[in-house]
Amino acid sequence: MKFWAVRALSVLAALAFAYGLESVVSGNMAENYRLFVLAGLYVTLAVSLNLINGITGQFSIGHAAFYMVGAYSAGAVSQAFYANQSLGQVPWLITMALFGGVCAAIAGLVVGLPSLRLRGDYLAIVTLGFGEILRIVAQNIKEVGGAYGMNVKPFGSAPNTLWLVWLLAILCIAVCRNLLRTAHGLPFLAVREDEVASSAMGVNVPSTKVTAFVIGSMFAGMAGALLAHTETFISPDMFKMDVSFIILTMVVLGGTGSITGSTVAAVALFAIPEWLRNLQDPVTKTAYQIPGSAIVAGVVAVALAVAALRYIQHNVHRGNGQKFGFGVVAMAVAAILGVLLKSVFGLVPQLATQTFEASSLRMVIFASTLIVLMLLRPQGLFGHHEFSWSWLKSLFTGTRPPLEASS
C-alpha cells in the first residue's frame, strides 16, 4: 500500500511541477519559453546517454543520431497524417513522442548489436559513423527536405510543449533511478565494472548492453519528436556531430554514472552560453563590452586560483570542511588579485582600448569553464554519487556516505 501511495504522490508531484512550470514560463517569461524547452530536452538527452555511457560503461558518442531519428520520423508522420485523423493536439503529441521513441529504439537496436563484439574506442567510432551517415542520408533525401530541412507544422503553429518536455525529462530520470535502485540495475553496474567477472557471475553481457542502448535511444528519440513539433522546423544541421559532443560533455562533467550530475550539468552547460549571449550592460542596455586588460587579468587570476585549489586538494589533509574554507580564501585572494591586475594591465594602451563583446567570447568562456572544472574535479561534479542529504553532509565532514547501488 505504501509503495503505491509513494508512486501516486510522485506522479502527482511531477504533474504539478510540469503544470506550474508551464504556467509561470508562458505567463511571465514568455521570451525565454524556447530556452526552457531546450533545457528540458538536454536533460533527457544527457540522462539517457548516461544510462549507456556512465551506468553501463559503454562509450557512445553518436547520441544526436537517435535524437534525429525521433525528430524526422515523428515530423514526417505528423505532416502526412495529422490532418486526416481525429486525435486532439495533446494526444497526438504524446503519440508522436512514443512513435519517435520506438523508431529511435529500433535504430538503437541496430547500433547496439555491434556492441556484442566492440568496446571502448571502436564502439565510439561505430556510433559516430552511424550518426554522420544518417545525417548525410537525410541531407540527400528530397522527401524530408534534404539540406533545406523540413517544416513540421501539423497544428499550424508551435504548440505549448514545455510541460510535456519536462514530464519526459522527469520520466527519464525516474526510469533510470528506479532501474539502479532495484535488482534489475545491478547487471548494468556489473558490466560497467568488469565484463569478464560479470559474465562469470551469470550476467548476460550482450543483452545488458543492447538493453541499455535501446532504452537510451528511445528517450533520445522521444526528445527529438518533441523538438520537431516545438521548433516546427528541423534540418540535418541541427543534429551535427558537435551536438553529440555537447551531450557527452554533460555526462562527463556531471559524473559518469550519476543521474543527478547529468541533470545538473545539462541545465548548467545549456544555460551558461545562453546567459552570455544576452549579457548586457545594466546601465546602457547595450552588449556588455569586456576590455582586453580584464580578459588578461581574469586569465591570470583563474590560473592562480586553479593552481592554489589543486595544491589544497593534494596537500591539505584536515577534512573537507577545512579544505572548503581554504578554497574560499584562495578564490577570494585570486579575485582581489584579478582586480589589481586589471588596473595594472590597463596601463598598457593596447589592452586598455581593445574591447570584446561578451557574446562573442561565450564559447571561449564555456570551454574555459569546462577546463577548469575538469582540472579541479576530473571525476565530474557528482562522481558516481546521487544527491542526498547524507552525501551533502559528507562533503563537509569527510564521512563516507551510505553506499548506493550506483556507487
Side-chain angles (χ1 to χ4, degrees):
M1 185 64 186
K2 182 181 177 183
F3 175 85
W4 291 110
V6 171
R7 275 12 183 211
L9 286 175
S10 300
V11 171
L12 289 176
L15 291 172
F17 171 78
Y19 176 77
L21 189 65
E22 175 77 48
S23 302
V24 171
V25 174
S26 59
N28 302 322
M29 295 183 282
E31 68 279 4
N32 294 322
Y33 189 90
R34 179 173 177 268
L35 299 183
F36 277 89
V37 170
L38 294 177
L41 292 176
Y42 271 108
V43 169
T44 302
L45 292 170
V47 174
S48 58
L49 181 62
N50 190 34
L51 178 63
I52 301 172
N53 284 21
I55 295 173
T56 317
Q58 302 179 84
F59 191 30
S60 169
I61 54 175
H63 214 50
F66 308 115
Y67 193 32
M68 180 180 179
V69 170
Y72 267 90
S73 57
V77 170
S78 273
Q79 283 297 84
F81 299 106
Y82 179 73
N84 300 319
Q85 54 80 45
S86 57
L87 288 177
Q89 193 178 94
V90 171
W92 181 261
L93 273 174
I94 295 173
T95 305
M96 285 301 96
L98 294 173
F99 178 74
V102 170
C103 292
I106 294 172
L109 181 64
V110 172
V111 179
L113 289 177
S115 69
L116 299 175
R117 296 180 180 276
L118 301 176
R119 66 177 66 178
D121 299 343
Y122 302 104
L123 180 61
I125 294 170
V126 169
T127 53
L128 186 63
F130 175 75
E132 282 302 289
I133 290 170
L134 211 61
R135 189 177 66 81
I136 292 171
V137 168
Q139 205 164 347
N140 290 280
I141 297 179
K142 293 181 181 178
E143 285 73 13
V144 293
Y148 295 105
M150 179 173 69
N151 286 317
V152 185
K153 295 181 178 179
F155 311 125
S157 60
N160 291 336
T161 57
L162 179 61
W163 65 277
L164 198 52
V165 165
W166 279 95
L167 270 185
L168 175 63
I170 293 171
L171 176 65
C172 183
I173 292 170
V175 167
C176 293
R177 179 187 176 281
N178 290 338
L179 185 66
L180 294 181
R181 289 299 183 107
T182 62
H184 299 291
L186 294 179
F188 293 87
L189 299 172
V191 170
R192 180 186 71 185
E193 298 303 327
D194 194 317
E195 288 187 21
V196 177
S198 59
S199 180
M201 294 299 293
V203 175
N204 188 336
V205 175
S207 174
T208 304
K209 284 183 171 182
V210 174
T211 302
F213 245 108
V214 170
I215 296 175
S217 305
M218 180 192 69
F219 278 112
M222 294 174 77
L226 294 180
L227 171 78
H229 289 83
T230 304
E231 296 287 272
T232 67
F233 174 80
I234 52 176
S235 72
D237 286 344
M238 296 167 66
F239 307 97
K240 281 185 174 178
M241 197 185 302
D242 53 355
V243 175
S244 293
F245 290 148
I246 289 175
I247 301 169
L248 180 63
T249 304
M250 292 171 176
V251 174
V252 174
L253 182 65
T256 52
S258 172
I259 297 169
T260 310
S262 297
T263 305
V264 172
V267 175
L269 290 187
F270 177 76
I272 289 173
E274 296 303 326
W275 174 70
L276 291 171
R277 188 198 299 274
N278 300 317
L279 194 61
Q280 291 184 337
D281 189 308
V283 178
T284 62
K285 301 298 181 185
T286 57
Y288 196 80
Q289 301 289 327
I290 303 176
S293 57
I295 294 174
V296 177
V299 170
V300 174
V302 169
L304 291 174
V306 170
L309 291 173
R310 284 177 62 83
Y311 179 84
I312 292 170
Q313 282 181 343
H314 297 294
N315 296 282
V316 175
H317 307 287
R318 298 183 180 179
N320 289 343
Q322 286 186 318
K323 277 188 178 182
F324 179 77
F326 285 139
V328 171
V329 172
M331 287 191 288
V333 171
I336 295 171
L337 190 61
V339 174
L340 296 175
L341 286 174
K342 179 177 179 294
S343 301
V344 173
F345 288 125
L347 299 176
V348 181
Q350 290 82 358
L351 293 178
T353 56
Q354 185 69 49
T355 61
F356 302 88
E357 282 190 11
S359 59
S360 64
L361 296 173
R362 65 191 185 92
M363 295 313 295
V364 176
I365 298 173
F366 176 77
S368 303
T369 304
L370 293 180
I371 293 171
V372 169
L373 288 174
M374 284 294 101
L375 283 172
L376 296 177
R377 193 157 175 86
Q379 71 272 40
L381 293 174
F382 283 77
H384 283 169
H385 297 288
E386 302 295 348
F387 177 81
S388 65
W389 294 116
S390 57
W391 173 80
L392 193 63
K393 181 182 177 182
S394 70
L395 291 180
F396 298 96
T397 61
T399 57
R400 189 178 181 83
L403 289 176
E404 298 178 9
S406 59
S407 61

